[in-house]
């Protein structure tokens, strides 16, 4: 099979906001306890954070990590997780039907974030709580005033404010599974009033309002319109969430979900612009895709798992090779939509639907999806170019014509490199790629990384990793193996 890729230096989509390579840690299962935090582990630092896990996280270079949820945040009392650990309450946690010990809270998490070279993206509880607790929380985190909550932070040992710059106004408030789920009207009102108080306390922050928790929600579209009618002038981003699965065991159709994600993004951006036009506003609301991944094998697990356990193993999705292919494709979709998607969080980071897994008091290792994420995050920084693709197509279950080749092209000026991410979705045929690149001098192919495994269902475990990237000979006429993800790097000289 042949495909062509035409690239022109001047055909720019936009500069990538590095925050699209963000991730997510929720108080859920073993993400926090037994994941990032395990004071009894022989790799634990003075705070109880696992250094082996930190090392793997740093390899992903995630610029932001959303915290503390997720569904968890809609029942969370942030005050339970600060100060003297021996006085923190254990509580019934209603999102995941577990016991939350509160041994990790905002104090510890921002310390962890420093060690992980990342920034906290904080969510406030707009389920059981509202603007009052949110304004106290931001005073605690960000204020330098001589007032109660800022002083409480100082008393807890943190003289300098945490300066958390990105705040989510609740989580998935459109879903009836959410603790204190709301109608779009109810949410629009509480989000607006919370946005106002948060920005009064710290005008330098940015805010994310909840969009839809899935493109198949019956309220998708109307939810966004109503929420933005209320919040448009007060927020900076609208969120999108989406998890895909391959229950039908139809790999080609599964890999086409990268196109579904593209449609979800473009439709949501269009709705933001519809409200912009309606309000005759000069401001553009951009998108925060703050939960995305593959998740289907362990969905609803909490409903049947034993209840009221501390850090039970929940949502420990084991990813196979085809999952890594879709994650690679979804990253290309995010890069190709970088003019509107400014923030994105792979959900999640450790143990819970995660690229990194741990054993209690044991090893840490990486899953298949770790690799495309790592390469996109490390090398996919710069400006996305709009490439023209010619490739044979197949038909998805929706009747869409899906090109076998999915690609994104990033001009990374800092490194003086053009980076092509390219996936051949054909399950049978290799693809010879005819690449024509205009506008660059002395382009030299320097690296071809390939992620390929003959068995689409192969998984990596702590003892065995059949799905690992390999180096191929860099070439001006690369060949992409059947069902493979690839990164092609070219060095250029300045014109
Ligand atoms: O990431 C797991 C869960 O998925 C989150 O808690 C929730 O926001 C979403 O439904």
């Amino acid at each position: 099979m042949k495909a062509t890729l035409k690239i022109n230096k001047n055909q720019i989509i936009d500069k990538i906001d590095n925050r699209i390579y963000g991730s997510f840690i929720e108080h859920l299962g073993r993400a926090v306890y037994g994941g990032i935090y395990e004071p009894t582990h022989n790799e634990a630092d003075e705070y109880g954070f696992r250094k082996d896990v930190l090392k793997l996280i740093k390899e992903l270079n995630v610029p932001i990590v959303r915290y503390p949820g997720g569904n968890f945040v809609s029942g969370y009392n942030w005050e339970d997780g600060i100060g003297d650990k021996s006085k923190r309450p254990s509580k019934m946690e209603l999102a995941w039907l577990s016991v939350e010990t509160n041994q990790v809270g905002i104090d510890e998490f921002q310390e962890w974030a420093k060690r992980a070279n990342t920034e906290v993206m904080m969510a406030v509880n707009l389920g059981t709580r509202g603007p009052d607790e949110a304004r106290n929380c931001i005073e605690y985190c960000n204020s330098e005033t001589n007032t109660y909550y800022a002083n409480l932070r100082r008393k807890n040992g943190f003289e300098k404010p945490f300066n958390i710059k990105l705040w989510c106004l609740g989580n998935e408030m459109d879903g009836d599974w959410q603790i204190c789920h709301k109608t779009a009207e109810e949410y629009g009102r509480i989000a607006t009033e919370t946005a106002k108080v948060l920005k009064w306390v710290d005008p330098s922050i940015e805010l994310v309002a909840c969009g839809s928790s899935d493109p198949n929600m019956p309220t998708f579209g109307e939810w966004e319109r109503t929420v933005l009618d209320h919040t448009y002038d007060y927020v900076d981003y609208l969120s999108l969430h989406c998890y895909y699965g391959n229950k039908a065991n139809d790999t080609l159709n599964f890999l086409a979900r990268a196109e579904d994600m593209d449609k979800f993004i473009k439709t949501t951006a269009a709705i933001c612009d519809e409200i912009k036009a309606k309000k005759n506003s000069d401001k553009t609301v951009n998108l925060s895709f703050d939960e995305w991944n593959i998740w289907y094998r362990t969905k609803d697990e909490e409903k049947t798992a034993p209840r009221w356990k501390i850090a039970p193993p929940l949502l420990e999705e084991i990813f196979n090779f085809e999952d890594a292919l879709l994650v690679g494709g979804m990253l290309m979709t995010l890069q190709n939509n970088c003019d509107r998607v400014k923030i994105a969080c792979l959900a999640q980071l450790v143990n819970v639907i995660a690229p990194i897994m741990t054993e209690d008091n044991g090893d840490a290792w990486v899953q298949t999806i770790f690799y495309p994420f790592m390469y996109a995050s490390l090398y996919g920084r710069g400006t996305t170019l709009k490439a023209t693709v010619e490739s044979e197509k197949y038909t998805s279950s929706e009747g869409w014509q899906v090109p076998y080749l999915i690609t994104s092209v990033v001009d990374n000026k800092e490194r003086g490199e053009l980076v092509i991410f390219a996936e051949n979705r054909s399950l049978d045929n290799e693809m010879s790629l005819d690449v024509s690149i205009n506008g660059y001098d002395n382009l030299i192919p320097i690296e071809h990384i390939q992620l390929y495994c003959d068995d689409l269902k192969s998984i990596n475990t702590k003892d065995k990793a059949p799905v690992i990237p390999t180096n191929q000979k860099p070439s001006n006429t690369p060949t992409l193996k059947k069902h493979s993800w690839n990164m092609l790097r070219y060095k250029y000289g300045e014109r």
Side-chain angles (χ1 to χ4, degrees):
M1 189 189 297
K2 280 193 186 342
T4 63
L5 184 59
K6 292 195 181 113
I7 299 165
N8 187 316
K9 190 181 182 180
N10 300 319
Q11 299 276 312
I12 290 168
I13 296 178
D14 207 346
K15 186 167 171 5
I16 292 175
D17 187 321
N18 290 341
R19 295 175 301 174
I20 69 166
Y21 303 117
S23 191
F24 177 28
I25 290 276
E26 175 166 5
H27 282 251
L28 191 186
R30 298 190 312 121
V32 174
Y33 309 107
I36 62 167
Y37 176 83
E38 197 178 353
T40 54
H41 196 278
N42 58 14
E43 288 276 350
D45 69 9
E46 73 283 9
Y47 259 86
F49 298 128
R50 278 182 66 159
K51 286 183 281 180
D52 54 341
V53 177
L54 276 169
K55 182 172 170 286
L56 293 173
I57 290 171
K58 281 198 247 176
E59 285 178 30
L60 292 177
N61 198 10
V62 284
I64 50 162
V65 179
R66 188 164 169 256
Y67 176 82
N71 296 341
F72 169 82
V73 80
S74 297
Y76 185 48
N77 293 354
W78 66 270
E79 305 89 331
D80 292 345
I82 57 168
D84 185 348
K85 283 192 175 183
S86 67
K87 298 207 168 70
R88 296 188 192 176
S90 279
K91 288 201 169 165
M92 289 172 83
E93 197 289 291
L94 302 185
W96 303 104
L97 309 172
S98 310
V99 167
E100 173 55 50
T101 62
N102 286 301
Q103 291 303 294
V104 171
I106 294 173
D107 292 352
E108 290 77 28
F109 195 72
Q110 59 82 36
E111 280 297 321
W112 174 83
K114 280 189 227 157
R115 286 159 174 76
N117 294 340
T118 192
E119 302 266 330
V120 180
M121 176 185 191
M122 182 70 84
V124 296
N125 176 354
L126 293 190
T128 58
R129 307 186 100 189
D132 194 34
E133 297 82 3
R135 64 149 180 172
N136 295 340
C137 182
I138 196 167
E139 180 191 322
Y140 183 88
C141 292
N142 285 10
S143 186
E144 291 206 83
T145 49
N146 180 16
T147 50
Y148 180 79
Y149 285 100
N151 285 334
L152 187 57
R153 183 195 67 239
R154 292 187 185 98
K155 187 171 150 239
N156 289 340
F158 303 99
E159 183 54 39
K160 290 254 162 293
F162 305 152
N163 270 325
I164 297 171
K165 289 297 168 213
L166 200 51
W167 292 73
C168 304
L169 297 162
N171 175 70
E172 295 192 348
M173 299 309 301
D174 61 330
D176 61 7
W177 58 87
Q178 203 64 214
I179 305 171
C180 301
H181 152 63
K182 294 187 169 31
T183 64
E185 279 289 340
E186 289 165 346
Y187 174 68
R189 286 293 304 126
I190 198 171
T192 302
E193 296 308 319
T194 308
K196 281 160 56 183
V197 298
L198 287 173
K199 286 209 178 176
W200 282 334
V201 176
D202 184 351
S204 72
I205 60 165
E206 290 190 307
L207 291 173
V208 184
C210 291
S212 288
S213 44
D214 188 275
N216 296 317
M217 291 295 286
T219 48
F220 174 49
E222 273 322 293
W223 173 272
E224 281 73 4
R225 285 184 189 92
T226 307
V227 168
L228 287 174
D229 260 336
H230 286 285
T231 58
Y232 200 89
D233 293 338
Y234 303 96
V235 304
D236 304 283
Y237 307 97
L238 186 68
S239 77
L240 305 83
H241 289 181
C242 192
Y243 297 93
Y244 292 108
N246 190 12
K247 256 196 182 142
N249 195 19
D250 178 349
T251 301
L252 275 180
N253 203 45
F254 176 61
L255 297 181
R257 295 313 94 200
E259 265 64 18
D260 189 70
M261 185 190 208
D262 184 69
K263 182 174 174 226
F264 186 26
I265 291 170
K266 291 197 163 65
T267 308
T268 308
I271 297 171
C272 290
D273 293 347
E274 177 191 327
I275 306 301
K276 176 180 182 175
K278 183 176 162 192
K279 289 186 178 282
N280 196 17
S281 174
D282 292 329
K283 167 183 167 184
T284 299
V285 168
N286 280 316
L287 306 180
S288 171
F289 213 126
D290 45 44
E291 283 188 39
W292 69 271
N293 204 344
I294 289 140
W295 175 27
Y296 64 108
R297 303 164 181 98
T298 59
K299 241 190 173 140
D300 293 329
E301 213 179 37
E302 74 283 0
K303 294 189 177 135
T304 50
R307 294 180 171 202
W308 317 124
K309 303 271 176 225
I310 297 171
L314 285 178
L315 279 54
E316 301 203 357
E317 192 91 2
I318 303 302
F319 296 108
N320 62 22
F321 172 54
E322 68 181 11
D323 295 333
L325 289 176
L326 179 55
V327 162
M330 289 165 91
L331 282 157
M332 294 173 204
T333 299
L334 291 171
Q335 291 163 333
N336 286 328
N337 285 286
C338 69
D339 53 334
R340 294 312 293 264
V341 180
K342 302 295 173 184
I343 300 160
C345 303
L346 175 71
Q348 299 191 9
L349 190 52
V350 183
N351 287 331
V352 171
I353 23 177
I356 297 168
M357 299 299 287
T358 70
E359 261 175 352
D360 292 344
N361 276 310
D363 291 338
W365 67 96
V366 307
Q367 297 222 59
T368 59
I369 63 168
F370 183 92
Y371 296 110
F373 189 91
M374 179 186 78
Y375 284 110
S377 175
L378 295 188
Y379 295 99
R381 300 198 181 210
T383 304
T384 310
L385 303 183
K386 190 169 172 43
T388 309
V389 172
E390 277 170 35
S391 153
E392 281 178 42
K393 295 186 170 127
Y394 64 96
T395 308
S396 75
S397 57
E398 299 89 347
W400 299 340
Q401 288 303 294
V402 179
Y404 283 105
L405 175 65
I406 176 169
T407 181
S408 58
V409 182
V410 179
D411 183 345
N412 187 332
K413 289 210 167 54
E414 249 173 50
R415 302 175 75 102
E417 285 177 19
L418 192 71
V419 184
I420 301 175
F421 298 95
E423 186 170 302
N424 175 6
R425 291 185 274 204
S426 168
L427 303 185
D428 307 305
N429 301 312
E430 70 173 26
M431 179 183 277
S432 52
L433 194 59
D434 179 6
V435 189
S436 98
I437 305 175
N438 279 310
Y440 296 90
D441 277 344
N442 310 322
L443 216 54
I444 304 163
I446 54 166
E447 190 174 41
H448 178 174
I449 299 283
Q450 172 186 281
L451 191 64
Y452 171 77
C453 186
D454 213 35
D455 180 0
L456 287 158
K457 309 294 180 189
S458 272
I459 59 166
N460 289 351
T461 63
K462 99 181 168 96
D463 305 310
K464 208 171 62 120
V467 184
I468 47 162
T470 55
N471 273 295
Q472 305 297 306
K473 195 170 176 321
S475 156
N476 277 320
T477 51
T479 299
L480 310 183
K481 246 183 129 70
K482 67 176 182 180
H483 58 74
S484 70
W485 174 97
N486 302 264
M487 181 184 75
L488 312 165
R489 284 170 60 213
Y490 298 79
K491 196 100 205 144
Y492 56 74
E494 279 308 321
R495 218 168 224 205

